[in-house]
Amino acid sequence: MTEKKLNNEVLSFAQNFVYEYLTYTAGEEKDYKERLKQYITTTSNVSDTEIYKGAQKAVYVQAYRMDQLDKEHFDVYVLAEVQYEYYREQEATQESAETRMKVPVLSRDGEMVVDGLPMFVNDNTFMEDYQIQEYSGQAADEQTAAGAGMAVTSFLKAYYEQDETVIDYYLSQDADRSKFIGLDGRYTFDRMQSVRCYQEESMIVCIAEYKISDVVNGAKRWQKVRLNVVRGSDGKYYIQSMSARTTM
């Protein structure tokens, strides 16, 4: 594994952990501990959180900096916006607050674990020298790009608006279906802005940029995803995997 890929995976691991760590509801401690199991060891007390009342949810999480302590140990800094729900004088109340955490991560033989207690910090030092490098490569030929692009658009519309039966229709045979749990109409697919397709041996990498609409308030938001697409024996194009990471 290259150093760059390792760094990206450590950042992603810590980011996902913080989302689960800061999201919980009173009375659901068992579920909370189950969600954290994939990030910690059986001897860790990271999940021993005393949840007194109400609920909280991480609505935005971003790993923004990392210190490598040695070959296997990293400190990852994560910014999170947390929405709190609680009762004040018998009245339901909601408020949001920003927090930052330093997460100790051990990476060994391709596996990672949070190997200590996450620490709340006051840290505003971002990765100043980091510049987003958009994905680039050998562009797919016109016919391939057109077919893969149509498959991507149809899949994304199903992903946001339809049930699993419809979504499965667009997936390759060996796609991990647990990674494609759709939004079931929580958002609607508004419009496709662009689909850029690149040829990587037998895989077609598509970078899709599009807008979705929130069915609750109609707010439109940009989305940008990477989809790996394969061509089946029937000549049709199917989605193999999907990722929010669209950089090199």
Side-chain angles (χ1 to χ4, degrees), residues 46-186:
V46 170
S47 61
D48 288 342
T49 299
E50 295 185 20
I51 306 172
Y52 291 107
K53 57 184 178 180
Q56 68 177 59
K57 181 179 181 180
V59 294
Y60 173 82
V61 181
Q62 180 64 55
Y64 62 90
R65 185 163 66 87
M66 180 177 70
D67 294 333
Q68 184 165 358
L69 308 179
D70 57 36
K71 185 178 179 181
E72 297 182 334
H73 295 86
F74 304 81
D75 279 343
V76 182
Y77 292 81
V78 183
L79 166 68
E81 181 182 349
V82 184
Q83 184 177 80
Y84 298 87
E85 297 180 4
Y86 59 92
Y87 283 87
R88 176 178 290 168
E89 297 178 355
Q90 298 184 340
E91 185 173 326
T93 302
Q94 276 192 0
E95 65 177 273
S96 296
E98 188 179 278
T99 189
R100 286 178 170 82
M101 305 185 71
K102 180 167 66 173
V103 182
V105 176
L106 167 66
S107 176
R108 179 180 296 160
D109 299 328
E111 297 184 351
M112 284 175 279
V113 67
V114 175
D115 70 337
L117 291 174
M119 178 180 175
F120 290 94
V121 296
N122 183 6
D123 179 275
N124 294 302
T125 307
F126 286 79
M127 299 170 68
E128 295 180 359
D129 61 344
Y130 179 75
Q131 293 182 342
I132 294 176
Q133 293 182 296
E134 290 289 338
Y135 186 92
S136 62
Q138 179 184 341
D141 63 69
E142 187 175 340
Q143 183 177 359
T144 299
M150 287 181 60
V152 163
T153 301
S154 298
F155 161 75
L156 288 171
K157 185 173 179 61
Y159 177 74
Y160 287 99
E161 301 177 5
Q162 303 294 327
D163 60 26
E164 299 306 310
T165 304
V166 180
I167 294 172
D168 282 353
Y169 175 80
Y170 297 100
L171 303 181
S172 66
Q173 289 187 346
D174 55 348
D176 183 351
R177 278 154 173 74
S178 68
K179 305 293 186 183
F180 294 95
I181 307 300
L183 279 294
D184 201 23
R186 172 62 182 84

Side-chain angles (χ1 to χ4, degrees), residues 236-247:
K236 296 181 180 179
Y237 294 90
Y238 297 93
I239 310 302
Q240 174 77 25
S241 62
M242 178 169 63
S243 171
R245 182 168 176 262
T246 60
T247 56

Side-chain angles (χ1 to χ4, degrees), residues 21-40:
Y21 183 70
L22 293 178
T23 300
Y24 57 73
T25 301
E28 298 182 3
E29 287 81 356
K30 184 177 179 180
D31 170 72
Y32 178 66
K33 291 184 177 182
E34 282 294 320
R35 286 190 284 113
L36 291 184
K37 273 186 178 180
Q38 61 183 310
Y39 300 98
I40 61 179

Side-chain angles (χ1 to χ4, degrees), residues 149 152-153 156 189-195 208-211:
V152 163
T153 301
L156 288 171
F189 185 86
D190 184 65
R191 65 182 175 88
M192 180 66 75
Q193 177 71 9
S194 65
V195 183
E209 191 167 2
Y210 54 96
K211 273 189 176 181

